[in-house]
Amino acid sequence: MDENKLLYYDVYGRVNRIYASHNRSYGFEQPYEHFHAKYELNFVVSSIPTRVKTLGRIYNIDKPHIRLHKPFSFHIASVDEIYEYERYVIYFEAQNIEFASGIIDLHKLYSEDFTIAPLDGESLVAARSLAEALMRDVDINMQRFALAGLLALAARYKIVPSGTETDLAELNYISKVNEYIGRHYSERLTAAELSKRFYVSEQKLSADFKSVMNETLHHYIVGVRISKAAGLIAQGKTPLEAAIECGFVDESHFAKTFKARLGITPRQFKKKLISENEFRD
């Protein structure tokens, strides 16, 4: 990633706003992975092949769907230019739907970095109506009701996406490894220690992980730590504090790894956060 290809962020966006857009284009290509400080909901109307990459894993979706991205989770999407790509993109914060907390559990709905909810028939028609209402209505309360409806649809139809063709039992086992890494990324994590925890040989764990995730276990762990650290910096932590909380041995090692993955140092990243906003008046 060069100096002109920085991450998107909306860290300092106004808290009471729901940011929404409706877009059509032939093809879609994002040149780099990025994250947002807010919750993200993508409603894709088109029945076309859509490719999404998040935390090193690739997903291919070929039907209308709602796509959810957790705050501070890196992701990137693309569509071949021969297809017309229509989508609604919505960014919001938890307080935007506090009134529906008894119905929608955001923590549970966004428990994974990436979730999809395939839609068709009545669910697709309902999602389209809600998205259009959200775009059309300038009243913030009506927007919140429309957003709550879209989230309720996502909760109703969401599935656990798989990024590669593999045996279901193997996928579940690797998914559990990923979940463990997501909870314990600040601790010492090695193939030897993880293989003991999941009762497989170190060789099998390494081979299965590479087969399912298309990257090595070590590379994935480092990617999770960098992603979490970037999120902490975006929330106001210093690079040193982020490095310590994410399990790096020292700030120098953290800075080198951060730059190798994202193209800029943690301090350059923090400085950019002050001046770069995805949404502007």
Side-chain angles (χ1 to χ4, degrees), residues 88-151:
Y88 296 82
V89 185
I90 302 161
Y91 303 96
F92 64 97
E93 296 192 352
Q95 68 185 67
N96 293 133
I97 60 159
E98 282 181 345
F99 74 93
S101 59
I103 302 171
I104 300 167
D105 186 340
L106 267 189
H107 180 73
K108 183 177 180 180
L109 183 57
Y110 281 84
S111 60
E112 305 295 329
D113 286 287
F114 173 59
T115 302
I116 60 173
L119 304 173
D120 58 20
E122 292 182 357
S123 64
L124 178 58
V125 172
R128 166 82 84 167
S129 297
L130 288 165
E132 289 181 351
L134 194 152
M135 293 295 303
R136 180 175 62 248
D137 209 309
V138 295
D139 181 81
I140 184 62
N141 290 320
M142 294 304 296
Q143 284 188 317
R144 288 170 177 168
F145 279 113
L147 173 59
L150 284 169
L151 291 169

Side-chain angles (χ1 to χ4, degrees), residues 242-280:
I244 293 172
E245 288 192 35
C246 293
F248 289 91
V249 293
D250 57 58
E251 188 175 5
S252 175
H253 175 242
F254 169 60
K256 290 179 181 178
T257 307
F258 194 99
K259 185 173 183 179
R261 291 297 179 96
L262 302 185
I264 53 176
T265 68
R267 295 190 182 281
Q268 289 172 329
F269 177 73
K270 186 174 181 65
K271 184 178 179 181
K272 288 289 182 181
L273 286 173
I274 298 173
S275 60
E276 296 281 342
N277 283 301
E278 181 175 359
F279 300 101
R280 299 182 185 278

Side-chain angles (χ1 to χ4, degrees), residues 51-197:
R51 184 174 181 268
V52 180
K53 179 181 178 184
T54 179
L55 278 179
R57 191 163 189 179
I58 297 170
Y59 302 87
N60 292 291
I61 314 161
D62 61 359
K63 60 178 63 178
H65 63 274
I66 290 175
R67 190 166 73 237
L68 306 178
H69 292 287
K70 194 175 182 179
F72 303 107
S73 62
F74 283 94
H75 55 277
I76 187 170
S78 63
V79 172
D80 193 275
E81 63 182 9
I82 66 172
Y83 299 107
E84 184 178 16
Y85 183 48
E86 182 183 3
R87 69 276 186 197
Y88 296 82
V89 185
I90 302 161
Y91 303 96
F92 64 97
E93 296 192 352
Q95 68 185 67
N96 293 133
I97 60 159
E98 282 181 345
F99 74 93
S101 59
I103 302 171
I104 300 167
D105 186 340
L106 267 189
H107 180 73
K108 183 177 180 180
L109 183 57
Y110 281 84
S111 60
E112 305 295 329
D113 286 287
F114 173 59
T115 302
I116 60 173
L119 304 173
D120 58 20
E122 292 182 357
S123 64
L124 178 58
V125 172
R128 166 82 84 167
S129 297
L130 288 165
E132 289 181 351
L134 194 152
M135 293 295 303
R136 180 175 62 248
D137 209 309
V138 295
D139 181 81
I140 184 62
N141 290 320
M142 294 304 296
Q143 284 188 317
R144 288 170 177 168
F145 279 113
L147 173 59
L150 284 169
L151 291 169
L153 278 175
R156 170 67 178 82
Y157 294 102
K158 79 169 188 172
I159 63 172
V160 178
S162 61
T164 56
E165 293 183 6
T166 185
D167 178 75
L168 181 59
E170 180 180 291
L171 175 61
N172 289 338
Y173 137 65
I174 294 299
S175 294
K176 290 177 181 177
V177 173
N178 290 343
E179 290 172 8
Y180 184 84
I181 292 170
R183 292 194 303 270
H184 300 273
Y185 58 88
S186 63
E187 303 171 11
R188 175 180 169 81
L189 295 172
T190 65
E193 291 164 337
L194 289 170
S195 64
K196 291 178 181 177
R197 177 169 293 277

